[in-house]
Amino acid sequence: MRVLIVCLALAVFALLGFVTDPAHGEPSRQFADSQSSGTSPISACINLGGALEAPREGDWGYTVRERDLHRIAQAGFDTIRLPVAWSQHTMRTSPYLIDRRLLARTDAIISAALDAGLNVILDVHHYFQLMKQPDAHEARLDAIWRQLSDHYEGWPDGLIFEFLNEPHSRMNTARVDAMNARLLRMVRARHPDRWVIMGGAGWGKLDGLLQARIPFDERAITTFHYYDPFEFTHQGADFDKNAPPKGQKWGTEVHRQRLENTMSRARAFRDRVGMPVFLGEFGVYGEVPLVDRAKWTRAVREAAEASGIGWCYFDWGTSFRLYDLERERWLMSMRHALLP
């Protein structure tokens, strides 16, 4: 009788998709994929800013090193985000071919990160011409993603695509909605199960995401960036001629309520659209006193985690640094703010 019950149970499980891999005694890929469709693989992430988003790697003071990837993984992060300025290395006329040297360099970084046990988010960063003249550049963006889609076909699932960083200006909500739908269809032809990340207009802020119509997909993540209040996070920034003055503080009840309100709205959006929400960037300029940076960073990270939102600090070793490249050491108060 017991054998009969077990057999019947296995038959029911098989019909429902609960298939077991006989080689490992674990759920098969088919079942694992269906189960994980609504759960983001990203929890704790670091942006490798200032490297491939620069005109040339190293121009902004950072060249990605394999030992950094191992440091990041050993500390407990599960993902890196790799911003790449593809548009600066792509032909300006059709067929808009990407420089093969950049592809080879990107391959090497992605492979090393995957080998270290990290997921990799690959995005199109700093495409400013597209923001100003979308009619003249949308075909070029499509060509970039067509090439990336072809090139990375068959790569491990830990490689994640993010279509466009911080759309703004003339890349308004309608254009970004159309772009997301168009690029998702393109990528899905070769990558039916790969995770993709899509955001809204308005510099990637939450308000832009809330206005967006993200096409539903079981392997899609929605994203927003958070640098609020800008007067605090960007005070004294040397890359912004209109940077707020130094000396700004954060931590009042009003500040904390604004943060909670942001995460509450992000949670509501996630529940409404049925796709995970990801905090793709947040950070404080590196010249702000460490105690102030760590206080804000911890608060944002805790608020995101309390809301079930994965996060990605910006950045590793440059303007908003978490790691001191000159002294080759972690900024421990920042590290503890992210991974207590």
Side-chain angles (χ1 to χ4, degrees):
M1 176 63 72
R2 178 178 296 178
V3 173
L4 178 60
I5 292 173
V6 170
C7 291
L8 288 172
L10 288 173
V12 171
F13 286 171
L15 288 172
L16 292 175
F18 290 72
V19 184
T20 300
D21 184 344
H24 302 286
E26 298 175 350
S28 73
R29 177 181 173 84
Q30 180 182 1
F31 173 61
D33 280 354
S34 65
Q35 284 294 91
S36 64
S37 62
T39 304
S40 169
I42 310 162
S43 296
C45 170
I46 289 293
N47 279 271
L48 293 189
L52 296 188
E53 70 187 271
R56 293 176 301 180
E57 187 179 11
D59 282 355
W60 293 353
Y62 180 55
T63 298
V64 179
R65 307 172 302 183
E66 187 170 347
R67 62 179 180 269
D68 294 335
L69 303 174
H70 288 284
R71 286 190 183 104
I72 290 167
Q74 289 166 4
F77 296 95
D78 55 46
T79 305
I80 61 165
R81 183 170 179 256
L82 186 62
V84 184
W86 296 102
S87 60
Q88 299 187 46
H89 304 273
T90 298
M91 291 173 56
R92 296 187 177 277
T93 57
S94 182
Y96 307 115
L97 297 179
I98 298 172
D99 188 328
R100 305 303 295 182
R101 292 169 296 183
L102 178 60
L103 271 176
R105 175 60 177 147
T106 306
D107 289 352
I109 295 172
I110 295 172
S111 295
L114 293 172
D115 288 345
L118 295 164
N119 300 314
V120 181
I121 301 168
L122 184 65
D123 90 320
V124 170
H125 216 84
H126 288 334
Y127 197 167
F128 295 124
Q129 305 100 314
L130 173 68
M131 311 305 172
K132 296 177 180 179
Q133 297 178 301
D135 286 337
H137 285 270
E138 283 183 325
R140 191 164 177 251
L141 175 67
D142 291 359
I144 289 171
W145 271 112
R146 188 174 297 108
Q147 291 171 79
L148 295 178
S149 179
D150 291 350
H151 182 75
Y152 289 110
E153 184 177 9
W155 279 58
D157 292 343
L159 175 59
I160 300 166
F161 291 159
E162 182 177 350
F163 293 151
L164 185 64
N165 179 71
E166 294 186 350
H168 60 274
S169 300
R170 295 188 177 180
M171 281 299 291
N172 57 27
T173 296
R175 283 190 179 274
V176 174
D177 286 350
M179 176 204 72
N180 282 331
R182 186 174 67 249
L183 293 181
L184 181 63
R185 288 194 300 270
M186 178 194 301
V187 165
R188 281 290 175 252
R190 292 187 180 274
H191 303 265
D193 298 319
R194 187 173 303 286
W195 284 101
V196 298
I197 297 176
M198 295 176 283
W203 289 95
K205 297 178 182 179
L206 180 60
D207 285 345
L209 179 62
L210 298 182
Q211 295 170 17
R213 293 188 177 184
I214 306 292
F216 178 79
D217 187 279
E218 290 187 345
R219 300 284 280 186
I221 300 166
T222 65
T223 188
F224 73 100
H225 295 176
Y226 185 81
Y227 291 99
D228 184 49
F230 186 85
E231 292 76 14
F232 172 76
T233 61
H234 284 65
Q235 57 184 292
D238 60 4
F239 55 82
D240 184 353
K241 63 181 180 181
N242 298 315
K246 296 179 181 179
Q248 309 293 319
K249 298 295 183 180
W250 182 90
T252 68
E253 186 60 32
V254 172
H255 289 150
R256 294 182 182 278
Q257 187 55 50
R258 287 174 63 179
L259 172 59
E260 172 52 34
N261 181 59
T262 295
M263 294 303 168
S264 176
R265 295 163 69 208
R267 292 195 304 269
F269 177 84
R270 175 196 62 202
D271 296 342
R272 177 169 62 84
V273 301
M275 293 178 283
V277 172
F278 170 54
L279 177 55
E281 287 186 19
F282 68 109
V284 184
Y285 182 57
E287 299 306 316
V288 175
L290 264 175
V291 64
D292 295 329
R293 296 181 67 210
K295 180 180 181 181
W296 181 91
T297 300
R298 178 184 294 274
V300 176
R301 188 266 304 168
E302 289 178 344
E305 289 181 347
S307 298
I309 295 173
W311 49 263
C312 198
Y313 183 78
F314 198 95
D315 68 331
W316 167 244
T318 58
S319 297
F320 292 68
R321 58 188 171 274
L322 167 65
Y323 186 85
D324 188 333
L325 293 170
E326 292 184 1
R327 299 183 180 183
E328 291 292 352
R329 67 184 188 185
W330 291 90
L331 301 177
M332 293 306 296
S333 60
M334 290 296 294
R335 174 173 167 173
H336 291 157
L338 293 169
L339 297 174

